[in-house]
Amino acid sequence: MFIIDAIEYQMKAYKERLAVIEDVDEDEASEIGNDYYFLEALRKDLVKSLDKWKPPKALHSERQIYDKTVENNTKTTMQIPTELVPAVRELIAKHQA
């Protein structure tokens, strides 16, 4: 899923940045560390939500969902818990910046 991939990409970038600045800039390292742990928790919650998500009964497999999407020329969407929406929006905004 795109969002989880984006989170993992940003977490990797944070780890790389921390390795460079860890002993040089404590304030930036602290901010990055906090952001990293936030993303780690967000990723864990998203994975847990995805594990619980079930496709509609009429579409029993990912392949059927994909086929139906192509057939209707529409986009596949997924619902996420409402409390995660602000965090996901913020993550997307950071990723697009």
Side-chain angles (χ1 to χ4, degrees):
M1 157 154 260
F2 165 77
I3 294 173
I4 293 173
D5 290 343
I7 290 171
E8 290 172 349
Y9 177 84
Q10 188 62 45
M11 288 172 67
K12 181 181 175 193
Y14 281 159
K15 267 188 175 181
E16 291 170 358
R17 180 68 180 150
L18 274 173
V20 172
I21 65 157
E22 195 166 33
D23 296 326
V24 178
D25 188 343
E26 288 183 21
D27 290 337
E28 184 179 357
S30 177
E31 287 180 29
I32 290 174
N34 290 338
D35 289 348
Y36 179 88
Y37 290 119
F38 168 77
L39 290 178
E40 188 174 52
L42 178 61
R43 183 194 171 284
K44 183 178 177 182
D45 288 346
L46 285 173
V47 168
K48 188 187 297 184
S49 293
L50 281 174
D51 288 343
K52 292 179 184 178
W53 182 78
K54 302 284 184 224
K57 290 183 181 182
L59 305 170
H60 297 289
S61 72
E62 285 185 32
R63 182 68 189 168
Q64 288 173 320
I65 292 171
Y66 176 77
D67 290 344
K68 185 87 171 169
T69 301
V70 171
E71 182 180 304
N72 293 335
N73 197 21
T74 60
K75 293 182 179 179
T76 303
T77 59
M78 185 189 105
Q79 289 184 320
I80 61 171
T82 307
E83 61 272 9
L84 294 179
V85 170
V88 170
R89 284 185 178 147
E90 181 180 331
L91 176 67
I92 291 170
K94 281 184 179 180
H95 186 69
Q96 291 175 342

